[in-house]
Each structure stands twice: as C-alpha cells, then as structure tokens.
Amino acid sequence: MAYLKVERDDEIVQIMIDRADKLNAMNLDVMDEFISVLDTLERDSSKVIIITGSGQKAFSAGADIEYMNSIGSTEAEKYALRGHEVLNKIEKLEKPVISAINGYALGGGCELALSSDIRFASPNAQLGQPEVTLGICPGWGGTQRLLRIIGPARAKDLIFTGRKISADEAFSMGLVNKIFPSENLLSETRSYAKLIARNSTFAIGISKNLVNKGMDANLDTGLKLEIYSWSLCFSTKDRQERMKAFVEKK
Ligand code: CO8
C-alpha cells in the first residue's frame, strides 16, 4: 500500500496514515486503501485496531485541499461518499477502534477520529473542524458525530469558528479520552488495546453496537435491544468457557 502502513502485533492492528509530507491529508487513494484494510479486518482474527498518523506533526490534516481545489459538486459528492464509507465501516466494525492523535486532527482528520470508539491524544494535538474557513461545511460526518459526542452547543462553537483546540480543551469537552506524553502515546495506546484484547471479542462487538445504536434510539428501544443482545451472548462457546473457568476457579 502506498499510503497506509499496517502493522500487526498479535491481535492488535495498527494502521498508520503514511503521508507525513502532506500532514497525512487523505486523498481518494488513502480512502481506497482504508476500505481494503477494513474489509480484511471485518473478517480476520484481529481484536483491536489503532489508527494514527506518521511523523511528529499530524494525525491527519483532513481531506486533500489540493484535490478539492480541482473538483466540482459531482466529484465532491463521490469524495464525500467514499469518506462516509470509510468512517461508517470504522463505526460499524464489531471491534474497538482507537485513534492515537499525535498532532493535527483537522476537518476529515478530526472526523476520522470521531468515528473511532476511543480517542487518545498527545499534548501537541490540535483538533478542529476548519471547513467553513474553506467555504464548505464538514462533509465526513463532523456535524453529526461531533454533535453526538460533545453536544450541539460545543459542536456549533467548533464548526462555526473553525478554531483549533488543544488536547487539554478537547479532553475537557470529552472529545478525547486521555492525554499521554508524545513519546508514550503509541505504547500506552497499545497497552490499553491489550487490556481490551483479553476480553470477549463477541461481547465487545455487541456492546459497541448497542452503545452506537442507543445514541439514536429511545431508551425503551435501546433497553430491549440490550436484552436480546445479552441473551445472544449465551449462545457462544466463548461465554461458556469464560463462565466455567470462573466457576471452577481457573
Ligand atoms: N490537504 C492537502 N495538503 C495539506 C493539507 C490538506 N488538508 N494540510 C497540509 N497540507 C500540506 C501543505 O500544503 C504542505 O505541503 P507542501 O510542503 O507541499 O507545501 C504540507 O502539508 C505541510 O503543511 P504546512 O506547510 O501548511 O504546515 P504548517 O505547519 O505551516 O501548518 C496546518 C499546519 C495548520 C495544519 C496547515 O497545514 C493547515 O491549515 N492545513 C489545512 C487544514 C485544514 O483546513 N483541514 C481541513 C480540510 S477540509 C476537510 O477535511 C473536509 C472533510 C470533509 C470532506 C468532504 C468531501 C467533500
């Protein structure tokens, strides 16, 4: 692959956007490579996925402005659809996805992180949705996912001003889960991923789905979904082995 560096360490997969000279801006080729990697991850035995950017400066500075400068509405729609395909796949993947934000996460870069389940950041991270400064609105789910994660007032603040916020401010808004020193960001993210990987992949996948569905469902529907999903867990061998091991004090 030209733009994504994929590394496997047991059940943890790290996807690094490798376009540091353009601050890991995402062109159509980056999107295509993401689709291909995610298609594999949907089926393989990996348990936790980490997304990060190469270099010291950026997670991703967003969609490719040079490319967007050359297109009209028809191509823009295709570009947006491709971006949505990637981010929806990440959101629907029945495995946890963690973004390790090691610098700028702007526009589509921030939206990529928003589609992840957990966001860790280094102190030099700067997040934002600067699209309106370029005459466009957020186009890869920013208006919808930001709203759901930090609420409408904060989402509108970031979208209307296009301002970049520090890792500390993002943390105070609940936009990032935790901040780690730059030199430890990836190792701490991997340790956290290993903590998750010890648990039942099936139960985690179902839990992810329930939380995601619950954001758009009323409480009654969400709770009913939980009952059916919970009882489904009882049909797995993994559940039987884990409970048996506990009862037999293994
Ligand atoms: N696209 C393409 N190239 C980029 C991008 C980008 N988003 N960001 C940076 N680069 C390139 C620069 O052009 C430069 O290239 P070169 O060295 O060849 O001139 C290189 O990366 C380094 O960048 P800078 O020299 O600008 O680095 P600075 O440290 O001076 O500045 C910034 C860093 C502040 C991050 C600055 O680069 C910047 O403001 N970048 C743009 C950030 C931005 O506005 N992102 C949002 C883009 S819009 C978007 O993401 C929409 C998503 C939805 C799309 C929907 C599809 C229709």
Side-chain angles (χ1 to χ4, degrees):
M1 273 191 228
Y3 295 113
L4 294 186
K5 219 194 259 169
V6 181
E7 282 173 18
R8 280 171 188 271
D9 166 14
D10 295 328
E11 297 138 323
I12 317 291
V13 174
Q14 178 182 290
I15 305 172
M16 180 180 277
I17 308 173
D18 192 17
R19 203 188 173 205
D21 59 328
K22 296 289 176 186
L23 304 186
N24 303 317
M26 293 177 283
N27 56 22
L28 272 169
D29 292 336
V30 176
M31 301 279 104
D32 288 347
E33 291 186 13
F34 257 115
I35 300 272
S36 147
V37 174
L38 290 163
D39 280 346
T40 305
L41 294 174
E42 270 167 9
R43 296 185 306 267
D44 70 9
S45 60
S46 59
K47 288 192 157 194
V48 186
I49 319 304
I50 297 169
I51 301 178
T52 194
S54 71
Q56 309 297 316
K57 248 179 114 173
F59 173 74
S60 168
D64 192 316
I65 302 173
E66 207 175 312
Y67 171 65
M68 289 192 292
N69 184 42
S70 70
I71 60 175
S73 295
T74 310
E75 293 99 329
E77 189 181 340
K78 280 190 199 143
Y79 195 28
L81 285 169
R82 203 67 175 147
H84 278 262
E85 197 180 337
V86 173
L87 305 192
N88 290 342
K89 265 183 186 291
I90 291 172
E91 196 170 69
K92 292 190 173 129
L93 191 70
E94 290 177 350
K95 298 170 185 181
V97 180
I98 308 171
S99 279
I101 307 171
N102 56 320
Y104 292 112
L106 301 173
C110 189
E111 289 164 314
L112 174 66
L114 294 174
S115 70
S116 314
D117 303 298
I118 305 277
R119 284 163 290 281
F120 293 146
S122 53
N124 69 325
Q126 290 193 46
L127 293 85
Q129 297 290 160
E131 284 89 342
V132 295
T133 68
L134 295 166
I136 53 175
C137 63
W140 283 345
T143 57
Q144 302 308 304
R145 292 198 177 95
L146 201 56
L147 154 72
R148 283 163 173 75
I149 294 168
I150 61 173
R154 284 170 163 162
K156 285 174 185 165
D157 161 27
L158 295 190
I159 293 167
F160 294 173
T161 61
R163 71 190 178 92
K164 301 179 193 68
I165 59 168
S166 65
D168 282 336
E169 189 174 354
F171 175 73
S172 73
M173 287 181 178
L175 189 48
V176 303
N177 295 68
K178 205 161 177 179
I179 301 170
F180 292 111
S182 302
E183 61 278 20
N184 299 343
L185 177 67
L186 279 179
S187 59
E188 292 283 359
T189 305
R190 263 196 291 273
S191 302
Y192 181 87
K194 282 185 181 151
L195 205 63
I196 296 177
R198 293 195 305 216
N199 298 326
S200 158
T201 306
F202 182 80
I204 289 174
I206 264 194
S207 306
K208 171 171 172 172
N209 196 23
L210 282 169
V211 174
N212 286 351
K213 286 267 180 334
M215 275 195 279
D216 293 323
N218 62 40
L219 182 61
D220 194 42
T221 309
L223 292 175
K224 282 214 170 66
L225 264 178
E226 191 187 77
I227 293 170
Y228 298 128
S229 304
W230 188 74
S231 37
L232 192 61
C233 294
F234 283 73
S235 64
T236 69
K237 198 165 168 238
D238 175 59
R239 190 279 307 177
Q240 287 168 7
E241 286 170 0
R242 285 171 182 270
M243 287 194 180
K244 189 163 174 263
F246 179 85
V247 171
E248 292 175 358
K249 305 207 182 300
K250 282 185 184 157

